[in-house]
Amino acid sequence: ARESASLVLLDDDFGTLVQAIRLGRRIFDNLGKAMRFVLAVHVPIVGLTLVPLVLGWPLLFTPMHIAFLEIVIDPVGSIVFEAEEAENDLMSRPPRRPDAPLFSPALFATSLLQGALVLLAVGGFYGALLWQAWAVDEARAAAFVALVLANVALVLANRTLQTRWRGAFGGNNRALLLTVLLTLAMLALVLGVPALRSLFGFGLPDVTTLGLALAVAAGVLPLLWGLRHALRRWDADEIECAVTRHLGMGRDIFAV
């Protein structure tokens, strides 16, 4: 019987089964969050590499900048989202199809739109500084700071599936706090140490420059949150259609 069964229960206690289902749903959620973030965060990196070439602007990125960004992205995608707690409504959701893809069209579209939003904000900021005849090294430093902080905004926007603001800042995720503090410390070293600043091709930003970069990143977060809220209905419809197709029932099942 064990050899022919698809699933063997070593503990038939109902409480254990519930905990196993809860853990499986949490893992599935966190994988989706990590994939959404990793895809979204690479859109502005690629875009800000190509846009200056197309428009004839001074280059924003060099291999050194890419390496810095990847050092930040990898631990966020693999550690921070893995450590996220379970959502409050985890066990009240309808079941999903067993063969439902982790990388759904809704997840793909949401990631691209989030990344495009960050690209427009940071790219527009960089272009505006160049248009105002700021020094290229200072404009590059300001745009890079804005991008790193906007990546933190992407983390906050994707660490929960809920639409309430407190979901982005709540919870007890020590990995997130340590990663953000480490990122800020590394950014401070790059800007504060003359040798590193020269290696990155940065000028020494003044308070106005840093304030503008912070304002761009802070403005990105509510936009990302609004985008999540607008697309949440699409996600719900997709889940609902998948379940109704699987069960062969109409929409009335969700009235239960």
Side-chain angles (χ1 to χ4, degrees):
R2 290 193 174 193
E3 293 177 356
S4 61
S6 300
L7 178 65
V8 177
L9 300 179
L10 299 180
D11 183 358
D12 60 356
D13 181 71
F14 183 76
T16 303
L17 296 179
V18 172
Q19 292 301 318
I21 294 172
R22 181 181 180 86
L23 178 61
R25 290 191 171 194
R26 172 176 171 267
I27 293 173
F28 190 88
D29 270 0
N30 290 347
L31 284 174
K33 295 173 186 176
M35 294 180 66
R36 183 183 290 112
F37 167 78
V38 170
L39 178 58
V41 81
H42 281 89
V43 173
I45 293 177
V46 174
L48 293 172
T49 302
L50 298 177
V51 168
L53 293 174
V54 174
L55 299 180
W57 295 351
L59 293 180
L60 177 58
F61 287 152
T62 66
M64 186 63 65
H65 302 104
I66 302 294
F68 181 95
L69 292 171
E70 291 298 330
I71 290 174
V72 174
I73 293 169
D74 286 345
V76 168
S78 60
I79 299 176
V80 172
F81 288 106
E82 179 184 350
E84 282 295 335
E85 299 175 347
E87 301 283 343
N88 294 332
D89 64 341
L90 190 69
M91 298 301 291
S92 61
R93 303 175 193 166
R96 68 176 187 277
R97 291 186 305 158
D99 60 343
L102 175 62
F103 201 72
S104 66
L107 185 148
F108 184 79
T110 302
S111 300
L112 290 182
L113 289 174
Q114 287 183 344
L117 184 60
V118 174
L119 171 59
L120 289 174
V122 178
F125 177 53
Y126 184 52
L129 293 179
L130 295 177
W131 183 70
Q132 293 288 338
W134 283 45
V136 173
D137 55 355
E138 290 188 12
R140 182 182 294 115
F144 189 78
V145 170
L147 177 61
V148 172
L149 297 179
N151 287 347
V152 175
L154 273 174
V155 175
L156 296 176
N158 286 288
R159 65 184 298 250
T160 178
L161 300 177
Q162 300 176 4
T163 57
R164 291 176 296 180
W165 270 97
R166 64 182 182 181
F169 301 97
N172 185 25
N173 192 336
R174 295 183 60 186
L176 172 63
L177 179 60
L178 292 176
T179 300
V180 171
L181 292 177
L182 179 61
T183 299
L184 295 178
M186 293 173 59
L187 192 58
L189 285 175
V190 169
L191 296 176
V193 178
L196 292 178
R197 193 166 61 244
S198 176
L199 185 63
F200 278 75
F202 290 160
L204 182 60
D206 55 18
V207 176
T208 301
T209 304
L210 294 177
L212 290 174
L214 178 60
V216 170
V220 164
L221 182 57
L223 293 177
L224 289 172
W225 206 258
L227 181 64
R228 281 282 313 279
H229 183 75
L231 295 176
R232 185 174 174 82
R233 179 61 186 174
W234 183 18
D235 291 337
D237 286 343
E238 183 177 274
I239 295 171
E240 181 175 339
C241 290
V243 176
T244 53
R245 285 196 304 268
H246 177 62
L247 298 178
M249 299 180 181
R251 296 171 64 92
D252 293 341
I253 184 175
F254 292 94
V256 178

